[in-house]
Amino acid sequence: RFCGEYPNVSLVRIEHTPAGVSPKKYAVTKAVERAHNEVVVFTDADCVVGAEWLATIDRYFAANVGLVQGITTYERPSGMNPLFFALQAVEFLSHGVVSAAAIGAGVPLNSNANNLAFRREIFERIGGYGEMGDVVSGDDDLLLQRIAQTGDWEVRYMTDPAGAVKTKPTPTLDAIFEQRKRWGSKTVHYGSKQVALLSSIFVFYVCLPAVCAQAVFDRKARKALGLMLAVKVGGEYLLMWPGTRLFGCRDLRRFLLPASLLQLPLTVAAVVLGVFGRFSWKGRRFKRRSGA
């Protein structure tokens, strides 16, 4: 009905996904094949974009820019517990802040497909998702890294507030954990620099509770624990304090500390179970590779 009202809108219906291929990546590839213009822009069905969203993206596409990533933040639904929302909002915002910092540092790490744009020409030239086509999740992260690895195109982070996208938080604790497992499942398929960086952080996270347990019986371990907590919390504050200012989320600053402490066990468990176990996504159960 919508397509009938707007002739420039096309519906791509996927009836069957080939065996061993990620359903999301297959659908995205089919959509890109139907695109006619130079730049392909993505958002999600549960997102709200502003009136200047597309115009803002367009301003970031200089001649040598191949991909533009934008920020997405949570909007509190009526009836949701304020603390539950705030802790989610901080953790979700941190993914965008880390993405912006990593792109700025020249080591693109993570992305978010609900506010993403890239040149169709590049997607076709690199063969889309290539050998990563069977990785169930990570279409956004892996594409970002593949484009950056060509060395021919710049990737940019869109910090203009007019380019921001709003979405709803995950409604339950179970759903949050399943989502984080899905996000964790793709990390082992990142580039070598990204895997090395994330592995060092993961080892640090695993060591923290071990040192915490040792500190109960050993005074010397308490100093090490204090130093490690200072590194974790202090490092996150260095990123998130300017990040909350840049993306207009200063009201979340008072939740940075509790979110930081809760994020540690969530990340460790989600990565382990996402990489070696299964996760739920859109009513189906997956392993990290399709058909595995």
Side-chain angles (χ1 to χ4, degrees), residues 143-160:
L143 184 62
L144 165 72
Q145 293 176 25
R146 280 173 64 82
I147 290 176
Q149 285 168 4
T150 66
D152 300 326
W153 298 92
E154 179 186 353
V155 296
R156 300 184 67 185
Y157 203 96
M158 178 171 55
T159 56
D160 190 325

Side-chain angles (χ1 to χ4, degrees), residues 32-178:
V32 174
E33 289 174 0
R34 292 279 290 272
H36 300 293
N37 294 316
E38 180 183 3
V39 174
V40 178
V41 184
F42 279 91
T43 191
D44 285 349
D46 57 356
C47 292
V48 176
V49 304
E52 297 299 317
W53 180 56
L54 291 176
T56 306
I57 291 173
D58 186 59
R59 289 197 294 271
Y60 277 78
F61 270 99
N64 64 327
V65 174
L67 180 146
V68 171
Q69 175 66 58
I71 190 69
T72 301
T73 57
Y74 280 156
E75 189 172 56
R76 182 186 167 195
S78 60
M80 178 172 280
N81 179 278
L83 180 59
F84 183 56
F85 166 76
L87 293 175
Q88 269 201 82
V90 170
E91 202 267 345
F92 187 71
L93 176 66
S94 71
H95 291 273
V97 173
V98 167
S99 178
I103 288 174
V107 188
L109 187 62
N110 60 308
S111 180
N112 195 331
N114 54 28
N115 194 357
L116 177 69
F118 56 83
R119 294 187 187 274
R120 182 166 53 89
E121 168 196 350
I122 304 174
F123 186 88
E124 295 170 349
R125 188 186 303 176
I126 65 176
Y129 299 105
E131 61 184 14
M132 297 299 181
D134 65 337
V135 179
V136 172
S137 186
D139 49 288
D140 39 16
D141 298 0
L142 298 174
L143 184 62
L144 165 72
Q145 293 176 25
R146 280 173 64 82
I147 290 176
Q149 285 168 4
T150 66
D152 300 326
W153 298 92
E154 179 186 353
V155 296
R156 300 184 67 185
Y157 203 96
M158 178 171 55
T159 56
D160 190 325
V165 168
K166 291 284 187 181
T167 190
K168 300 292 185 184
T170 310
T172 66
L173 285 172
D174 286 345
I176 292 172
F177 192 50
E178 292 299 324

